[in-house]
Amino acid sequence: MTEDLTDLEEIGPIDYLVIELPTANMDGSAFEHLLDLVGRGLIRVLDLAFLSKAADGSVSGVALDEVPGGVNLTFFEGASSGLLGDDDLDEAGAAIEPGTTAALLVYENVWAAPFATALRRNGAQLVASGRIPVQALLAALDATEPAS
């Protein structure tokens, strides 16, 4: 499922994730939600790759039909826009712990495409972007609670 990126004027914001998954505990439920997001047209998967890191630190690619957890990800077979390169895979492999599997996901936020397109047509530019991890949000909220 190679994605066509020829009409970049109409594309929504692109995000990427590297997710470390404990190989032994994977049940596939998160990827069912990914399939749902795609099915509802909220996101478009541009690249999806998996790799695993053995106890000795060696890193290898994992085919979509061999991802632990039992969910069928072959729908994404061939999802390769070219945005995800070997250097990204190497960097992800270095970042994860031995005994884990990593999912590398590059996706378009289709839901935001009309807004982003209108902004671009009016000359607007994205000058900063970020994401607040849930763990940081929870820690900040805990820090603001009065001591009991």
Side-chain angles (χ1 to χ4, degrees):
M1 139 176 205
T2 302
E3 296 297 339
D4 179 21
L5 296 179
T6 55
D7 192 3
L8 293 178
E9 182 66 27
E10 303 291 325
I11 200 163
I14 307 295
D15 284 326
Y16 74 92
L17 301 172
V18 177
I19 306 159
E20 181 181 87
L21 305 158
T23 304
N25 298 331
M26 288 178 57
D27 68 4
S29 61
F31 296 105
E32 291 172 10
H33 293 287
L34 178 64
L35 289 166
D36 179 59
L37 291 170
V38 170
R40 291 190 293 143
L42 297 174
I43 68 167
R44 176 171 60 145
V45 172
L46 302 175
D47 289 283
L48 179 61
F50 288 85
L51 52 89
S52 66
K53 191 169 195 175
D56 67 2
S58 61
V59 177
S60 59
V62 177
L64 290 179
D65 61 351
E66 296 176 358
V67 173
V71 68
N72 182 356
L73 296 174
T74 56
F75 173 78
F76 297 112
E77 196 72 51
S80 178
S81 67
L83 293 172
L84 192 59
D86 289 340
D87 55 335
D88 299 310
L89 297 172
D90 292 342
E91 194 173 318
I96 64 172
E97 295 294 321
T100 62
T101 298
L104 290 78
L105 174 65
V106 179
Y107 62 97
E108 174 193 2
N109 291 284
V110 176
W111 61 269
F115 175 63
T117 299
L119 288 171
R120 284 191 296 271
R121 287 188 178 146
N122 287 305
Q125 295 184 62
L126 179 64
V127 295
S129 181
R131 179 155 288 144
I132 300 170
V134 172
Q135 296 87 342
L137 177 65
L138 293 174
L141 291 173
D142 285 346
T144 62
E145 289 183 8
S148 40

